[in-house]
Amino acid sequence: MARTVVIGTDGVPFDMVKEFAETGVMPNTADIIAHGTFKQMLSSVPEISSVAWSSMITGVNPGEHGIFGFMELHPNSYRMRFPNYNDLKAPPFWEQREGKSVIINVPATYPVRPMNGVLISGFVSIDIDRSVYPPDLVGTLKGFDYRLDVDAQKAHQSMDLFLEDVDATLDARIKAYRYLWDYCDWSTFMLVFTGTDRLLHFLWDAYENKQHRCHQAFVDHFRKIDEVIGEIAGRLNDDDLLIMHSDHGFERLDCEVFVNYLLAENSFLQFKQDTDPALENICPGTKAFALDPARIYLNLKGKYPCGSVEPADAETILEQIEDLFAELEIEGRRVIRDVYRKEDIYTGPYIDSAPDLTLVAERGFNLKGKIGSDSLYSKGIFTGKHTQDTAFLLLKGPYDPAKLPDVPKVSDISRLII
Ligand SMILES: [Zn+2]
């Protein structure tokens, strides 16, 4: 029986795969490109992992699967919550298809629930006992020193410690894949590498600069992933389908831009006097606020505790905010590529929970929903940032070309799975 294997690499941009394939860093990937279909792919809006992976595994947009970001507000409040796999409103492909699946390290699948096969959740996973199905695999994984995620805090202490952790996490992931390959008679096997996203955030500069002391370690991480890709490709039959992809792309980060700072500066967002800047301390004069990365919500009357925007005024305020961001420039460069209304990008039963406006940035600008920044923009520890339009998709084996648009989106992938 034909099988599908999906290899996900979080955040890896099309041009990087192309370059590493052409320069011998990823020879196995080069071979797959030579015999397959290799395309640039669009991520979700916003281009963050939880939304992109939820779209990938369900094949639908956030208006149907209900995941719009890493954080949401509790109903009728300004208190934050972290949506998880229980909030995903559409079924992932492994619950829609016949046959067993082995799914390793897909972000936003915590806590796991019973399914036909194996599921090990990816970030943000908290407790390993709730990250593994069936649960009797936990002991085996602990024996591999399995790690749910890279400890990114280490990058704030020392890049060497961080790189050691990235490498150890990858090694344990490889052990888990090798063990689970023969664990059951699966029809879909999915393995996701997420250390790539961490490396790209902290060490994009090491990728670009060959003299950087971490350049070799950066390249070696991709070399090691390519070895696994070669090993997996060698285990496939001609009628099996191999899908490789990322969830969003990456590029150099020039500066972080704080959406709420601009909203506050223009009086759309106001805090009660003598309080810390926090959503819970906004005053009724507030017309709009943003959640990460650049999701803007009108402070609607009836929807929020101190909502003040009347429905009849919503259109005017939306237009004012659209103009504000469309005109924004930093050091002579346009900051915002697109301002989307929810109806432009989402359809489905959960569209009411969608942000009223979502911004996508121009090259180099990283939009943030942080509250209480003391400037419009700054440069932090990250040197790389996500892109919405430069993810990649690589296919080898039989697939239905009618299911693959010229410019594929991350939500198109699950339809290709045999
Ligand atoms: Zn990602």
Side-chain angles (χ1 to χ4, degrees):
M1 202 179 79
R3 305 171 298 175
T4 304
V5 172
V6 185
I7 303 174
T9 44
D10 199 295
V12 180
F14 177 86
D15 283 347
M16 185 178 284
V17 178
K18 190 165 178 287
E19 183 199 321
F20 283 167
E22 285 169 355
T23 55
V25 175
M26 300 184 79
N28 296 302
T29 302
D31 189 60
I32 295 163
I33 291 172
H35 299 97
T37 305
F38 183 37
K39 283 176 177 278
Q40 195 157 317
M41 184 176 73
L42 299 176
S43 183
S44 55
V45 178
E47 66 280 28
I48 60 171
S49 300
S50 62
V51 182
W53 286 106
S54 296
S55 305
M56 185 272 163
I57 64 175
T58 60
V60 296
N61 83 96
E64 286 185 62
H65 64 59
I67 303 294
F68 295 94
F70 275 115
M71 278 187 293
E72 292 295 343
L73 299 181
H74 285 281
N76 196 23
S77 95
Y78 300 108
R79 277 182 306 118
M80 301 273 190
R81 60 183 282 267
F82 295 89
N84 65 24
Y85 192 36
N86 292 327
D87 295 284
L88 186 72
K89 303 290 200 296
F93 66 81
W94 55 86
E95 289 180 6
Q96 301 175 51
R97 283 174 175 70
E98 300 269 311
K100 289 185 189 298
S101 299
V102 175
I103 309 290
I104 305 169
N105 195 37
V106 175
T109 57
Y110 177 87
V112 295
R113 57 179 177 246
M115 47 88 78
N116 186 15
V118 176
L119 176 59
I120 304 169
S121 58
F123 72 82
V124 178
S125 295
I126 301 159
D127 173 4
I128 191 152
D129 290 324
R130 300 176 71 199
S131 304
V132 181
Y133 182 84
D136 59 12
L137 278 171
V138 169
T140 306
L141 291 175
K142 283 183 176 165
F144 299 148
D145 193 21
Y146 190 81
R147 291 131 194 251
L148 294 165
D149 196 1
V150 169
D151 180 1
Q153 282 307 317
K154 292 205 165 129
H156 298 262
Q157 301 165 28
S158 132
M159 273 310 160
D160 292 327
L161 281 179
F162 169 67
L163 286 167
E164 257 173 47
D165 197 71
V166 169
D167 203 45
T169 305
L170 177 58
D171 285 342
R173 201 93 70 211
I174 294 169
K175 283 182 191 157
Y177 127 70
R178 285 182 180 146
Y179 178 79
L180 292 169
W181 187 267
D182 297 318
Y183 178 79
C184 64
D185 190 15
W186 47 263
S187 59
T188 309
F189 194 99
M190 180 166 181
L191 170 64
V192 180
F193 296 108
T194 43
T196 46
D197 176 273
R198 305 297 182 269
L199 275 183
L200 290 159
H201 273 299
F202 287 106
L203 288 170
W204 181 272
D205 54 339
Y207 161 57
E208 286 191 324
N209 175 8
K210 291 190 168 52
Q211 311 309 319
H212 194 292
R213 69 179 193 86
C214 299
H215 179 77
Q216 200 53 48
F218 183 98
V219 171
D220 286 346
H221 187 79
F222 285 82
R223 221 181 269 284
K224 196 184 257 189
I225 287 175
D226 185 73
E227 285 168 14
V228 177
I229 290 166
E231 185 179 292
I232 290 175
R235 293 172 143 184
L236 297 182
N237 304 318
D238 287 345
D239 60 349
D240 292 334
L241 173 63
L242 175 62
I243 301 175
M244 290 170 53
H245 76 99
S246 53
D247 57 329
H248 47 77
F250 247 89
E251 64 180 1
R252 183 197 310 138
L253 187 161
D254 295 328
C255 69
E256 319 256 27
V257 180
F258 301 105
V259 175
N260 281 314
Y261 182 90
L262 192 65
L263 289 174
E265 220 186 16
N266 289 273
S267 305
F268 290 102
L269 172 58
Q270 299 170 17
F271 299 98
K272 290 175 194 146
Q273 279 201 325
D274 304 321
T275 59
D276 293 333
L279 273 188
E280 278 140 314
N281 294 330
I282 64 174
C283 60
T286 290
K287 297 190 176 78
F289 56 85
L291 299 181
D292 253 342
R295 294 176 288 151
I296 298 174
Y297 297 79
L298 290 182
N299 189 32
L300 285 168
K301 204 169 189 171
K303 187 175 179 188
Y304 298 105
C306 66
S308 60
V309 174
E310 298 284 352
D313 299 329
E315 178 59 29
T316 310
I317 296 168
L318 284 176
E319 284 172 17
Q320 289 167 348
I321 297 172
E322 283 170 334
D323 291 346
L324 178 68
F325 283 97
E327 288 162 11
L328 178 62
E329 287 192 358
I330 290 177
E331 292 170 6
R333 289 164 58 195
R334 219 173 96 106
V335 176
I336 302 299
R337 189 195 82 188
D338 287 300
V339 183
Y340 293 111
R341 295 212 180 180
K342 55 175 142 185
E343 308 78 27
D344 297 338
I345 44 175
Y346 304 134
T347 54
Y350 302 102
I351 194 165
D352 281 350
S353 309
D356 295 287
L357 297 174
T358 303
L359 313 176
V360 175
E362 290 279 5
R363 294 271 170 258
F365 294 108
N366 195 34
L367 304 176
K368 302 295 286 178
K370 180 181 173 184
I371 293 186
S373 72
D374 48 17
S375 61
L376 172 62
Y377 62 100
S378 71
K379 185 87 175 66
I381 187 173
F382 285 170
T383 60
K385 61 161 286 262
H386 295 188
T387 60
Q388 197 270 327
D389 54 351
T390 65
F392 81 92
L393 177 62
L394 172 56
L395 305 166
K396 187 183 172 222
Y399 69 91
D400 179 357
K403 291 181 180 169
L404 185 67
D406 282 347
V407 183
K409 301 192 295 289
V410 70
S411 55
D412 292 324
I413 297 173
S414 71
R415 274 187 290 283
L416 297 165
I417 295 170
I418 298 168

